[in-house]
Amino acid sequence: MIARFVVGFVVSALFACSSKQVSEEVDKQEWKLITAGGTVSEVVVSLGYLERIIATDITSTFPASLQQLPSIGYRNQIKGEGLMALGADMILAESGYLSEDVLDQLKLAGIQVKLFEKPTSIDGTYRLIQEVAAFLEEPEKGETLLAQVKSEQTLLEEYVKNNPLINPPAVAFIMARGLETVFLAGEETFASEIIQMAGGKPAGTGFKDFIPLTPEAIVGINPDYLLFFDSGLGTIGGKDGVQQIKGANQTKALQNGNILSFDGQYLSGFGPRVAQAALELAKAIRAN
């Protein structure tokens, strides 16, 4: 037992020294990267580092080619040993995505980790781009990406201004994982933020985060639109399955066929495509 501990300690020490040396000697543009968190991954790719990513997590779905890389799993499923075995020079992750135990393991092994806060607003998007670009020492690419997002935000704002809604429609975001697990988004959520960006009115008010959706709640708010993730809508049988949500058939949304769905990362990630997603939603809630 003691011998096994000593060998393990020596291996960890050698791994730590080797990792630190590589990280210090290898140019950042040549780093082998692991990314964790779809939004961080999207920013890193948008800055031109797609070819440097050697593995990523299951939420990193854009661009689609990321899903062809080795997967490190999802949040609490991620193990330090698996990360260390991949031989990365740096791990870039969303804050809170890796457990404290995993972070301690990586620190002990000398593997560097840089954490970034996931945005919950477009201002946060700009901040994340600036922080990642600064860390990668890519100021020019960062400015180019910022300019692109700002241009798309301008297009969104012009569209909303030129297509005013006298009575903004109430939009309810529904988080579904099968008919037995259905939640309604409230205040201080990505859904509330992006619905407002699109010129709509968030239907979930008076509470924060997500709450279980009850028949009384959905009938009471009587939304004009029901908004889903594509994946969530799929778990209940698509648009035809929405009528199986108790109370939904009494809403204006279902009666008028106003069921919307978007890719999850696109709608909720608040990455570089956030203004594009909000514009698409803005057009959708003005279609009828």
Side-chain angles (χ1 to χ4, degrees):
M1 179 69 180
I2 294 175
R4 184 180 299 175
F5 173 80
V6 171
V7 170
F9 178 80
V10 171
V11 170
S12 295
L14 290 173
F15 200 125
C17 293
S18 173
S19 177
K20 288 177 181 176
Q21 184 176 3
V22 169
S23 296
E24 290 170 358
E25 292 181 354
V26 177
D27 186 275
K28 287 188 176 183
Q29 294 181 351
E30 299 300 321
W31 269 350
K32 290 182 291 184
L33 302 172
I34 294 174
T35 58
T39 304
V40 166
S41 296
E42 190 170 338
V43 172
V44 172
V45 170
S46 297
L47 292 170
Y49 278 69
L50 175 60
E51 300 303 319
R52 304 260 57 87
I53 301 175
I54 62 170
T56 191
D57 73 307
I58 64 173
T59 72
S60 298
T61 57
F62 184 85
S65 58
L66 287 176
Q67 292 293 285
Q68 303 304 312
L69 297 172
S71 175
I72 63 172
Y74 178 73
R75 291 188 179 274
N76 290 336
Q77 301 171 356
I78 300 172
K79 304 300 182 183
E81 294 83 357
L83 292 174
M84 289 185 284
L86 291 165
D89 298 308
M90 174 63 66
I91 299 173
L92 306 179
E94 292 175 4
S95 296
Y97 201 89
L98 301 176
S99 70
E100 289 299 322
D101 287 344
V102 169
L103 290 174
D104 288 343
Q105 282 182 284
L106 295 173
K107 183 178 180 180
L108 182 63
I111 297 178
Q112 298 185 61
V113 181
K114 178 64 177 178
L115 303 177
F116 300 92
E117 290 295 327
K118 181 180 178 180
T120 55
S121 67
I122 195 166
D123 287 340
T125 304
Y126 292 132
R127 183 167 56 252
L128 176 61
I129 292 171
Q130 290 171 329
E131 290 175 353
V132 176
F135 181 73
L136 295 174
E137 298 178 359
E138 295 284 4
E140 292 183 3
K141 289 182 179 179
E143 288 301 319
T144 298
L145 184 56
L146 287 171
Q148 174 187 320
V149 179
K150 288 177 181 177
S151 175
E152 291 166 353
Q153 182 183 13
T154 297
L155 291 176
L156 165 67
E157 291 171 346
E158 289 177 348
Y159 177 82
V160 171
K161 179 180 178 180
N162 294 331
N163 296 272
L165 294 166
I166 299 175
N167 296 306
V171 182
F173 177 78
I174 308 297
M175 177 77 76
R177 299 189 184 96
L179 288 169
E180 301 304 316
T181 311
V182 185
F183 294 85
L184 173 66
E187 299 169 356
E188 297 184 15
T189 60
F190 80 85
S192 177
E193 183 72 20
I194 203 159
I195 289 168
Q196 291 180 81
M197 287 175 64
K201 180 174 67 175
T205 59
F207 63 94
K208 298 178 181 179
D209 204 15
F210 289 79
I211 62 171
L213 181 65
T214 64
E216 295 77 16
I218 193 68
V219 171
I221 62 177
N222 193 19
D224 298 291
Y225 287 86
L226 294 175
L227 176 62
F228 295 83
F229 288 153
D230 291 338
S231 58
L233 190 61
T235 68
I236 61 174
K239 291 185 177 181
D240 291 339
V242 177
Q243 61 186 339
Q244 298 182 58
I245 297 176
K246 295 178 181 179
N249 60 357
Q250 298 181 50
T251 65
K252 291 179 287 186
L254 193 58
Q255 291 166 4
N256 294 323
N258 291 336
I259 311 299
L260 305 174
S261 72
F262 289 77
D263 173 78
Q265 175 62 24
Y266 183 52
L267 186 69
S268 69
F270 280 83
R273 299 175 296 155
V274 59
Q276 296 178 34
L279 178 58
E280 191 173 336
L281 179 59
K283 292 178 178 179
I285 63 176
R286 289 166 172 78
N288 296 330

